[in-house]
Structure formats: C-alpha cells, structure tokens
Amino acid sequence: MKPGPFVHHAPTTVDEAVAVLGEVGHDGKVLAGGQSLIPVLSMRLATPGHLVDINGVAGLDAVHVTDTAVRIGALVRHAGLEQHDEAATALPLLRQALRNVAHPAIRNRGTTVGSIAHADPAGEMPSVLVLTDGVLEAVGPGGRREIAATDFFLGPLETTLAEDELVEAVRFTRFAPATRTAFLESSRRHGDYALAGVAVAVDVADGVVVGARAGFVSVTPVPSVLDLTPVLGGWDAGAPVPDEVTDAVREFVDPEGDIHATADYRRMLAAELTRRALATATQPTPAADPASTTAHESVA
Amino acid sequence: MSEQTTDTPPEQLLRISLRVNGVTRTASAPARRLLSDFLRHDLGLTGTHVGCEHGVCGACTVLVDGQPVRACLMFAVSAQRHEVTTIEGIGNDPENLSPVQQAFTECHALQCGFCTPGFVTTITAYLEDNPDPTPEQAREAISGNLCRCTGYQNIVSAVCRAAEIRRDRSDRTEIDQLVDLGTPDGEGGSRA
C-alpha cells in the first residue's frame, strides 16, 4: 500500500521546522528516520497533509557524553548510537538494547529519538529512557522545555508532546559506575517486535543487591519501571534469583494477547526474561567489553 | 497521530534528482513516492523488488551511502543527498558476477529469485564489515530478509562462499599487481 498525498517540507533549522509545525497544526507530522512512520502512512493508518522532514536540519546528529548523561540529537540513527563507543562505555545498556532494535537495515535509517517520540510500547528505547530516568528536550513556538520520560508517555502512540513541538534531543541519565545492566527480549524472529522484553539495572555492594529496577517492552501499555528492590534487597548476587521476583513481574505487567502469543504466555515470558536478565547482570563482567552482558534470548 | 483529514491537499509534484549506481537521474514524482517505487517506476530499475511494503521482508533493500536500508521505508525525495546502489549497480553482467552473485549461483541460494536482490545487497554490505563470517554470523546477518521458498540453508552457505570468493579475487588482484611490477618473488610488491 502507498502513503496518501502530503506536502513535503524540508526545513534546514529547528526554528523553521517548528514554524511549519505551528502553521499546519495537527495536520503535520515530523519525519526523521521514518521506519515506524512510513509503514503507518503506507497502511493509511494516518494521512497527515504535511510532513516536516527534519533530515536536512543541521546540528541534530550529535551524541554528547557528559558526566551525568548521554545526550543524543533527533537525527542520531540507531546504528550510529550502537556503534558509538564512548556512549556504550558511559551507558552499556544503550548498546545492549540497540542490538535488539529491528534489523540492521532498519537501524541504519531509524532514529532513537524518533522511536521514543513514536511511543510504541513494543519499542526498546522508550523503556530504556524511562529506566534511566531520562529527559526529553522539546522545542515549540513558545520555546524550549524539558519533559521527564516518566511524564511523557500517555498510552500506545500517545504522548504529552504538543502537536507543534519537536523533540530536539533526549538525555539518557547515566547510572552509577557500579550499576550493572542487561537487556533481554524474545521475538519470533531476531529483530522483529518482541513478544516480551526487559531491561534491568542492578546495584550490588559487597556481593549483596542494594537496588534493582526493571523496565519492560511489549507487555505494558506505556514504558514503566518496576522497583524490585523490596523483593531483591539484601539478596546474595551470586545466588539463584528468588521466585518473589517472577511473582512481582507477573503481577506488574499487563500484556495483551494477539495471534502470536497469548497474554498469559507474554506474562510468563516477561517474568522469565527478568529472572535471566537479573542473573546475567549480576555475573562478573569483563571490563574490556562493556556490552558483553547483551543478549537476545529465544525462550522455548 | 494525525487523523484522516477532509481537505486532502493537492498532489505535490517534485523534481527529484538521485545519484543511483554512480549516475545522476532526474524524474518528476509526488513527494509521497517511495524510493522503491521511484527506482522501479520512474527510473526503470526493476531489479529492486517490492514485497511487504512495511519493512518486514527486506526484498527492497538497497544501499544508501553503502549501508543497507529498506527502499520501501524511505521517500525518494529524502534520498536526494545520498548515493544509492541497487542490485543493478552490484552486477548486471552474467559473465562478470559479483562475489555474492557468483556464490548464489554456486550454492543454489535462489529459487524463485524474488527475494534475491535484497539478499545480495544486504550480504554485499555485510561482507564489507565482516569479511570472514562464521555460519552463525551469516545466519544473523540475513535475519532481516525473508525468503518464501525458505532457501535459508543455501543462502547461509552462499554468504560463507561469497566471503571465500572475495578473498580469492583480492589475492588474485594482488598477484596480478605483483606480476605487473615485474617482481614475481613478491619483493617490492608489498602493499603495507
């Protein structure tokens, strides 16, 4: 199927892009990588009259690593961020998660900020942003504002972004150096949308867990974080993950069933993936490869 | 999400200039023309195949600045500042096949052939990054492309065979260069 007609706008500055968005209102849509938007247009699930193609806007393709955050511009492609060694060292979870985002051909074009703004609950990067307590930098006709990731997602494909605003960048907050992370998901074919996925961040002190949090993919309507510290706090990091964890995950997630997997199956997957991700994250990690805890799991 | 609008704007026709397989080509097309359709309908390059049209099957994969992308998930107008390579640019001469094309014929890695252009472009770019893949890595490399004849075993073999052919050809080129330099023992032929 083919997209409906639209007027193509090619601004070269953020201000120009925002000006066009202000003029066309709800009839406009921002085009960055287009890897989620173009299928939606082709299936005529949306027929915006105006596309604001920001690919020609200068200065949006930079990755900045600071002491506290990894800031990425709206035109940074998934593949570019995945290959960014400084970002992977600062926040290993980025590379761990990005390896699960679709297929390489889609990561070459799709943008991380775009997938976050698209707010698909099956997207990996919205969950990662929420798990890191990240921030979105939005710009509109009234100026710039910051939106906490936890305040951004309202529902599937629904956010608090105004129709005349552009997400200029997002900031993933860095974890403490001792925090260990892992990302696992299960899909019918590696690279397809996950049936269930999970990102975990665990703090270990003297071999004992002092904090643990998990963010989920495809099994909650909006990315949200489950604090597992109450059930895992004090747990010996080398011991098997206790059943209380999987019980807590089963209770927390709210999956929907479809032709590929029932809600119950996804609930089981989310719990099992969390157990495995926690076990992976608490294993000693060779310092040479910060992303070595990454994995894609097939759960039979 | 934008909703259905009642006042549909008139079709916007653009003059789109693309650099494809080293040649600049220009045609008039609507802004909504997908790159896959622009290549096929407007430029007559029908080697790029259109399958699912939402990024799942990989049949339309072309190289943009050397990297594989889905031509059905990009508008032609957005490709203007980039170098596009289609299957025709990888090899269009049965007497002079590219390493990947040669490997596909040797390993019987195509059956109906519909998915083949997408596989060949994907694998050609992949071998640039990883010239010596294991069968497991080859499997991972083609995971974004679907073959409805399910010829995957042979396609995995073809990835590994293509890597061999690339190495053989580059060795041969090196020998030819040594011969040209008149140093059959290799002295002075170092490319360090």
Side-chain angles (χ1 to χ4, degrees):
Chain A
M1 288 178 282
K2 313 295 179 189
F6 56 79
V7 177
H8 180 263
H9 301 268
T12 55
T13 65
V14 169
D15 288 347
E16 267 176 56
V18 170
V20 178
L21 285 172
E23 278 167 33
V24 299
H26 86 283
D27 200 23
K29 194 78 192 155
V30 175
L31 171 68
Q35 303 300 283
S36 298
L37 177 63
I38 294 177
V40 167
L41 299 179
S42 288
M43 289 186 257
R44 307 274 178 121
L45 296 172
T47 52
H50 299 263
L51 277 200
V52 183
D53 182 346
I54 60 168
N55 284 282
V57 175
L60 293 182
D61 59 354
V63 176
H64 287 295
V65 178
T66 68
D67 290 344
T68 55
V70 177
R71 180 187 189 273
I72 61 162
L75 283 179
V76 174
R77 314 284 165 184
H78 290 302
L81 184 58
E82 181 190 358
Q83 288 151 18
H84 199 282
D85 289 334
E86 201 189 345
T89 305
L91 191 53
L93 183 57
L94 290 177
R95 188 175 281 173
Q96 292 164 359
L98 283 162
R99 287 176 176 175
N100 295 275
V101 175
H103 304 283
I106 289 175
R107 297 205 289 272
N108 282 335
R109 187 82 194 142
T111 65
T112 300
V113 170
S115 85
I116 290 166
H118 185 59
D120 187 335
E124 288 80 2
M125 301 319 282
S127 276
V128 171
L129 188 72
V130 172
L131 186 66
T132 71
D133 282 324
V135 173
L136 295 100
E137 300 177 17
V139 51
R144 286 176 162 73
R145 71 175 175 130
E146 298 198 340
I147 310 168
T150 44
D151 296 333
F152 184 69
F153 301 100
L154 289 177
L157 311 187
E158 229 189 319
T159 70
T160 54
L161 195 70
E163 61 192 21
D164 55 2
E165 281 183 314
L166 172 74
V167 182
E168 198 177 12
V170 300
R171 296 198 310 268
F172 294 91
T173 315
R174 293 174 65 172
F175 293 117
T179 303
R180 297 170 184 179
T181 58
F183 189 98
L184 284 181
E185 71 174 38
S186 181
S187 51
R188 297 171 71 239
R189 172 180 65 149
H190 185 189
D192 285 358
Y193 286 115
L195 297 174
V198 65
V200 297
V202 188
D203 294 308
V204 179
D206 301 325
V208 172
V209 172
V210 293
R213 307 195 316 148
F216 297 92
V217 175
S218 286
V219 288
T220 51
V222 294
S224 42
V225 170
L226 171 62
D227 187 358
L228 288 166
T229 312
V231 289
L232 262 190
W235 171 62
D236 172 0
V241 178
D243 288 343
E244 285 81 355
V245 167
T246 48
D247 293 344
V249 173
R250 280 167 183 273
E251 204 164 301
F252 179 76
V253 298
D254 182 22
E256 285 186 25
D258 64 16
I259 190 172
H260 301 306
T262 61
D264 279 350
Y265 181 63
R266 286 171 195 261
R267 194 181 297 275
M268 184 278 284
L269 268 184
E272 175 60 18
L273 289 171
T274 306
R275 190 186 64 74
R276 294 187 189 184
L278 288 167
T280 305
T282 49
Q283 276 165 12
T285 308
D289 183 1
S292 67
T293 56
T294 188
H296 166 265
E297 283 260 340
S298 293
V299 179
Chain B
M1 279 290 97
S2 298
E3 285 156 18
Q4 187 82 38
T5 52
T6 44
D7 51 340
T8 310
E11 191 78 73
Q12 181 193 26
L13 276 181
L14 303 171
R15 224 115 171 101
I16 298 174
S17 279
L18 277 196
R19 210 163 150 78
V20 185
N21 302 328
V23 179
T24 302
R25 306 276 305 271
T26 304
S28 187
R32 60 171 160 151
R33 182 78 90 229
L34 298 168
L35 176 58
S36 45
D37 292 332
F38 188 78
L39 293 168
R40 290 177 58 85
H41 300 306
D42 300 295
L43 303 185
L45 294 167
T46 53
T48 299
H49 288 175
V50 173
C52 70
E53 293 209 294
H54 59 281
V56 173
C57 78
C60 68
T61 305
V62 298
L63 307 184
V64 174
D65 300 331
Q67 296 298 313
V69 303
R70 306 283 205 237
C72 76
L73 295 189
M74 190 167 176
F75 291 113
V77 61
S78 303
Q80 289 195 107
R81 292 174 296 274
H82 303 280
E83 188 78 40
V84 178
T85 307
T86 66
I87 186 68
E88 290 91 344
I90 285 173
N92 214 9
D93 175 5
E95 299 301 315
N96 190 19
L97 297 173
S98 81
V100 178
Q101 290 169 324
Q102 179 69 37
F104 265 60
T105 64
E106 287 180 19
C107 300
H108 187 52
L110 71 167
Q111 294 175 55
C112 83
F114 186 83
C115 66
T116 308
F119 272 102
V120 171
T121 47
T122 300
I123 296 164
T124 300
Y126 175 72
L127 292 176
E128 287 288 321
D129 293 337
N130 185 357
D132 189 17
T134 63
E136 193 48 45
Q137 290 169 331
R139 206 170 285 277
E140 166 98 23
I142 61 164
S143 68
N145 293 65
L146 293 179
C147 164
R148 292 193 72 177
C149 308
T150 65
Y152 297 109
Q153 302 291 355
N154 292 349
I155 297 171
V156 170
S157 303
V159 177
C160 299
R161 177 64 189 134
E164 273 175 20
I165 296 171
R166 283 175 98 248
R167 285 195 294 274
D168 285 353
R169 289 192 189 175
S170 103
D171 287 351
R172 225 173 298 147
T173 310
E174 231 164 274
I175 291 167
D176 288 348
Q177 283 170 345
L178 293 176
V179 171
D180 285 349
L181 289 166
T183 54
D185 59 357
E187 272 179 42
S190 164
R191 304 206 304 161

